[in-house]
């Protein structure tokens, strides 16, 4: 399984490297051959099964969007690759987003999602009900995202703001996005495994680690 | 050595109130009594900082990491009659309190990065030391590039700036000043300076700390201070260092301090010799004995600071790391994943603090052996030698625990 961390120097403000680390560690513990490659801004986009897009500040977010357009990122997803995006990465995948004021900039247009600026800034713990599970994390963004026809949210917000105070992120075939930034896959081992299972097409054996205790503790602190 | 500070009647009333309220606050046992009085004083006289610094020489120290230690080194280097905000209260209320309680003719003030512009404007400093800028407490502080931009605006036309040429964000911030002495402080943390602050193209780094961008933004060449083999070089003159506090990071702090002393007309050789007197700063680097253990306490608050701290741990010491995520720490411990933990391979780390599980998960996923200690007070006696690296509120708790034992 090839994982590409996209432009970590631009999209990596909040420890987003933790997601690649979690996928690699949990995948390898189940015998999946996982490779992780960091994609530099001036390098060609490598082939990958999963692309990770992290969070970033306003200027770098626009630069990353332009560069992703140049390297044909959308074609890779259309050809069967997966993408997991957080925060700025989520906004980039949509049709338009506002940064540095209220001007709207074109995103990659993979999904019909539009992000405008919202006040106050959403800063704090975020808990999202995803099916029968709970996703826990931390958000820090000034965006309000609305989802167009046919695009489903990742889940309902139990605590925090997410897209709009009601729902968070979006999910579509081969694509997940959330405002829970940073090492969200480290904090939510079940979600990390779900992504690994979707891409590998295999049922994974249970894996006990200290991350389970972290997850249970965070759920009891912010989502119960 | 005290100065008489000529003040308006309003300022005199306000500074009287600062002293009174802080004394009262200390008597009531509310904190160290440095902030609330300053708050009252600034309420009574918004220009109090200008009044209190009018007839004194002020040096400011700011940056993400190393402010408190560098300010302590600067006070020693500048010599007799130098005071400052020694408790680490580094916002305007703390500056007011320090200036009221300490009448030294020379004041070295450490300044929270977000308040630098305001403090430069009101204290008219003789020198401004700029150490570094990196990600820190992103849940509440402005993102680091915004901070650099605000510094840039605040420093326009300033003189007496002494700044780290190896940190591109600091150079971006300081290049609007009319007079800058550049010093080359070893700055391993580069993740916040990946793209050029002028044009957003990728910045490139060389092996000697040099950096450049295709747009022409590059490390200033007109430098006056650098380090070589533990010796400070100010142009052609060398000053040997005999620091009592550990780590390459403190050699860099000494470099900027001695460059500033030279700028102020002081004797760098004599100042350099005085730096050895600093053994600990507010509990940092202090060695305690606790339940038979020898514990060396280190403060680190963010990825750049942890990178430096972990690199300074002795291989014979056991490593304990304590992490909290209260408001003063930043409530989001995601930054644990930005720490370079490559120096920990093969070590076993004891995880403590309120976010010990976040820390343990990060270490385990980074293939470092982690043990979780839920209740340190349940530990028995041992003769281990321990280096304990803790972030802000965890450091404060541990310092109190170790001092009480």
């Amino acid at each position: 399984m090839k994982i590409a961390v996209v432009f970590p120097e631009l999209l990596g403000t909040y420890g987003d490297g933790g997601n690649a680390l979690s996928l690699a560690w949990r995948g390898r513990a189940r015998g999946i051959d996982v490779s992780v490659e960091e994609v530099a801004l001036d390098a060609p986009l490598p082939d990958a099964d999963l692309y990770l897009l992290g969070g970033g500040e306003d200027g770098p977010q626009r630069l990353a969007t332009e560069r992703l357009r140049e390297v044909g990122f959308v074609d890779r997803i259309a050809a069967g690759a997966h993408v997991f995006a957080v925060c700025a990465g989520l906004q980039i995948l949509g049709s338009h987003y506002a940064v540095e004021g209220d001007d709207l900039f074109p995103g990659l247009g993979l999904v019909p999602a539009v992000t405008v600026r919202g006040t106050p800034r959403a800063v704090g713990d975020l808990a999202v009900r995803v099916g029968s599970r709970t996703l826990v994390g931390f958000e820090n963004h000034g965006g309000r995202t609305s989802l167009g026809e046919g695009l489903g949210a990742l889940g309902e917000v139990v605590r925090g703001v997410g897209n709009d105070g009601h729902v968070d992120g979006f999910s579509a075939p081969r694509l997940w996005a959330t405002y829970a930034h940073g090492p969200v896959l480290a904090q939510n081992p079940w979600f990390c495994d779900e992504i690994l299972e979707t891409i590998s097409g295999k049922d994974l054996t249970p894996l006990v680690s200290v991350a389970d205790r972290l997850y249970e503790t965070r759920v009891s602190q912010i989502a119960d | 050595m005290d100065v008489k500070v000529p003040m308006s009647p309003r300022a005199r009333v306000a500074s009287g109130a600062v002293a009174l309220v802080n004394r009262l606050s200390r008597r009531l046992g509310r904190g160290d009594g440095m902030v609330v009085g300053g708050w009252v004083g600034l309420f009574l006289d918004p220009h109090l900082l200008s009044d209190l610094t009018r007839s004194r020489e002020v040096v400011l120290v700011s940056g993400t990491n190393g402010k408190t230690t560098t300010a302590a080194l600067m006070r020693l280097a500048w010599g007799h009659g130098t005071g400052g905000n020694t408790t680490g209260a580094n916002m305007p209320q703390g500056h007011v309190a320090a200036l009221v309680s300490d009448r030294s003719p020379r004041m070295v003030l450490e300044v929270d990065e977000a308040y630098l512009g305001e403090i430069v404007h009101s204290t008219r400093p003789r020198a401004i030391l700029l150490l570094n800028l990196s990600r820190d407490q992103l849940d509440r502080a402005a993102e680091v590039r915004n901070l650099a931009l605000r510094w840039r605006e605040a420093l326009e036309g300033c003189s007496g700036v002494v700044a780290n040429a190896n940190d591109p964000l600091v150079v971006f911030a300081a290049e609007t000043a009319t007079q800058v002495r550049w010093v080359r402080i070893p700055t391993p943390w580069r993740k916040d300076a990946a793209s050029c602050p002028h044009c957003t193209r990728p910045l490139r780094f060389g092996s000697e700390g040099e950096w450049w961008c295709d747009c022409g933004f590059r490390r200033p060449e007109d430098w006056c201070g650098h380090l070589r083999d533990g010796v400070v070089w100010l142009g052609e003159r060398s000053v040997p260092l005999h620091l009592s506090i550990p780590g390459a990071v403190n050699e860099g702090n000494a470099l900027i301090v001695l460059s500033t002393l030279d700028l102020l007309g002081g004797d760098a050789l004599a100042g350099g010799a005085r730096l050895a007197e600093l053994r600990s700063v507010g509990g940092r680097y202090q060695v305690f004995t606790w339940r038979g253990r020898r514990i060396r306490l280190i403060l680190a608050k963010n990825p750049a600071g942890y990178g430096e701290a972990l690199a300074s741990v002795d291989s014979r010491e056991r490593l304990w790391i304590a992490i909290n995520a209260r408001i003063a720490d930043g409530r989001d411990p995601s930054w644990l994943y930005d720490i370079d933990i490559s120096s920990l391979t093969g070590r076993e780390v004891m995880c403590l603090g309120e976010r010990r599980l976040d820390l343990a998960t990060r270490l385990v996923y980074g293939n470092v052996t982690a043990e979780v200690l839920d209740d340190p007070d349940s530990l028995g006696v041992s003769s281990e030698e321990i280096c304990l690296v803790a972030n802000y509120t965890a450091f404060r708790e541990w310092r109190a625990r170790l001092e009480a034992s």
Side-chain angles (χ1 to χ4, degrees):
Chain A
M1 186 183 298
K2 287 186 195 160
I3 297 176
V5 182
V6 178
F7 311 150
E9 68 266 54
L10 296 179
L11 303 174
T13 314
Y14 298 107
D16 295 299
N19 290 330
L21 212 58
S22 310
L23 288 159
W25 193 84
R26 299 187 70 83
R28 285 171 192 154
R30 271 72 161 258
I32 299 174
D33 181 16
V34 182
S35 68
V36 176
E37 186 177 344
E38 295 197 341
V39 187
L41 190 61
D42 47 3
L45 190 67
D47 268 325
D49 300 295
L50 173 66
Y51 294 95
L52 298 180
L53 300 182
E57 297 176 23
D58 296 350
Q61 176 175 347
R62 282 180 56 196
L63 181 64
T65 311
E66 283 163 32
R67 184 68 188 147
L68 285 170
R69 222 189 309 279
E70 284 167 23
V71 297
F73 182 75
V74 171
D75 298 338
R76 301 294 178 94
I77 308 304
H82 298 70
V83 57
F84 174 68
V86 304
C87 206
L90 172 157
Q91 298 175 0
I92 287 173
L93 295 182
S95 49
H96 288 85
Y97 60 81
V99 294
E100 293 164 349
D102 292 324
D103 293 341
L104 277 179
F105 293 92
L108 296 175
L110 260 173
V111 291
V114 176
T115 302
V116 297
R117 287 181 89 78
T119 49
R121 203 175 162 81
V123 184
D125 292 320
L126 176 65
V128 182
R129 172 125 327 246
V130 183
S132 61
R133 316 294 287 263
T134 302
L135 181 102
V136 288
F138 197 93
E139 63 183 334
N140 185 353
H141 59 96
R144 296 294 182 272
T145 301
S146 52
L147 307 181
E149 189 116 0
L151 179 61
L154 180 67
E156 280 168 42
V157 170
V158 180
R159 174 156 174 168
V161 177
N163 294 357
D164 55 4
H166 303 290
V167 296
D168 175 58
F170 45 81
S171 68
R174 302 196 308 281
L175 191 156
W176 304 265
T178 174
Y179 268 113
H181 70 216
V184 59
L185 298 183
Q187 287 191 44
N188 298 273
W190 67 268
F191 192 47
C192 188
D193 287 355
E194 204 166 285
I195 292 175
L196 287 168
E197 286 184 336
T198 304
I199 297 172
S200 68
K202 292 179 192 156
D203 285 336
L204 299 180
T205 50
L207 175 65
V208 176
S209 79
V210 69
D212 303 328
R213 232 189 110 193
L214 169 64
Y215 174 67
E216 284 155 22
T217 307
R218 293 303 293 153
V219 168
S220 71
Q221 285 170 346
I222 70 174
D224 274 1
Chain B
M1 198 173 3
D2 283 359
V3 281
K4 272 247 173 307
V5 182
M7 283 191 289
S8 66
R10 184 174 191 170
R12 206 167 298 132
V13 170
S15 45
V18 174
L20 183 71
V21 172
N22 279 343
R23 215 161 35 232
L24 199 63
S25 158
R26 274 192 291 271
R27 195 167 303 158
L28 292 172
R30 305 268 166 90
D32 55 13
M34 292 303 282
V35 172
V36 59
W39 188 85
V40 171
L42 284 169
F43 176 76
L44 293 175
D45 179 2
H47 303 295
L48 190 54
L49 267 173
S50 298
D51 281 330
L52 288 168
T53 52
R54 184 157 296 135
S55 58
R56 298 200 242 187
E57 293 185 284
V58 173
V59 165
L60 304 179
V61 179
S62 198
T64 306
N65 287 322
K67 291 184 285 290
T68 306
T69 302
T70 304
L73 289 170
M74 188 69 225
R75 277 190 281 277
L76 275 174
W78 214 359
H80 185 65
T82 308
N85 51 341
T86 52
T87 66
N90 60 16
M91 298 185 206
Q93 300 88 340
H95 299 140
V96 163
L99 288 160
V100 166
S101 64
D102 183 336
R103 294 295 166 121
S104 304
R106 295 165 170 172
M107 291 294 278
V108 177
L109 300 176
E110 67 158 280
V111 184
D112 182 281
E113 305 87 275
Y115 291 89
L116 185 66
E118 186 181 332
I119 302 301
V120 165
H121 181 73
S122 52
T123 63
R124 299 167 309 278
R126 289 218 33 213
I128 307 167
L129 287 71
L130 304 176
L131 298 167
N132 49 63
L133 279 174
S134 70
R135 57 189 75 181
D136 186 40
Q137 305 187 8
L138 291 170
D139 62 315
R140 65 194 178 103
E143 296 186 33
V144 59
R145 275 163 194 263
N146 278 333
L147 205 53
L149 194 61
R150 280 162 56 197
W151 275 22
R152 186 179 167 86
E153 288 160 8
L155 294 169
E156 197 168 345
C158 281
S159 58
V161 174
V162 186
N164 180 4
N166 282 8
D167 186 326
L169 289 180
V170 168
V171 173
F172 173 73
E175 64 183 355
T176 54
T178 47
Q179 182 212 16
V180 185
R181 275 200 181 195
W182 300 107
V183 292
R184 294 181 174 174
I185 301 179
T187 307
W189 177 263
R190 287 170 189 168
K191 280 192 183 170
D192 293 303
S195 69
C196 173
H198 282 291
C199 73
T200 72
R201 268 179 281 211
L203 280 180
R204 291 171 213 286
F205 289 86
S207 57
E208 303 289 320
E210 68 273 33
W211 50 266
W212 63 94
C213 174
D214 292 342
C215 75
F217 182 53
R218 60 190 301 123
R219 182 169 75 165
E221 289 305 314
D222 49 336
W223 54 274
C224 70
H226 70 283
L227 280 163
R228 201 188 305 140
D229 303 324
V231 174
V232 163
W233 287 85
L234 303 173
E236 299 297 310
R237 287 171 300 145
S238 66
V239 183
L241 284 180
H242 304 286
L243 295 178
S244 306
I245 51 177
V249 64
N250 284 318
E251 293 182 356
N253 293 337
L255 164 65
I256 195 168
V257 159
L258 295 178
S259 301
T260 306
L261 185 64
D262 188 53
L263 171 75
L264 295 171
D267 178 347
L269 264 177
R274 285 195 291 271
L275 299 184
E277 293 166 29
L278 190 73
R279 296 183 182 282
S280 74
V281 191
R284 297 165 182 82
Y285 312 112
Q286 202 166 335
V287 178
F288 297 88
T289 305
W290 183 74
R291 300 193 179 178
R293 294 165 180 81
R294 174 189 180 276
I295 300 188
R296 194 161 68 91
L297 188 56
I298 292 183
L299 172 71
K301 299 182 284 193
N302 47 45
Y306 262 90
E308 301 272 11
L310 296 181
S312 79
V313 178
D314 196 300
S315 60
R316 288 163 302 184
E317 292 173 305
R318 282 215 59 190
L319 177 58
W320 288 12
I321 301 178
I323 300 290
N324 284 354
R326 298 191 196 169
I327 288 171
D329 305 305
R331 290 180 299 135
D332 174 21
S334 295
W335 57 272
L336 291 172
Y337 287 82
D338 292 329
I339 302 175
D340 176 5
I341 59 164
S342 55
S343 66
L344 300 185
T345 311
R347 294 192 83 120
E348 189 179 287
V349 179
M350 185 74 94
C351 303
L352 307 99
E354 290 160 2
R355 299 307 285 267
R356 56 192 176 276
L357 294 171
D358 296 77
L359 172 65
T361 301
R362 190 271 174 273
L363 293 174
V364 166
Y365 281 0
N367 297 314
V368 172
T369 311
E371 202 181 323
V372 176
L373 179 58
D374 292 325
D375 179 14
D377 292 315
S378 68
L379 283 179
V381 173
S382 153
S383 60
E384 290 172 320
E385 295 202 354
I386 290 160
C387 178
L388 170 56
V389 188
N391 71 340
Y392 188 67
T393 66
F395 176 90
R396 227 168 39 187
E397 276 170 24
W398 268 98
R399 186 184 174 198
R401 178 185 277 124
L402 296 173
E403 280 178 345
S405 67

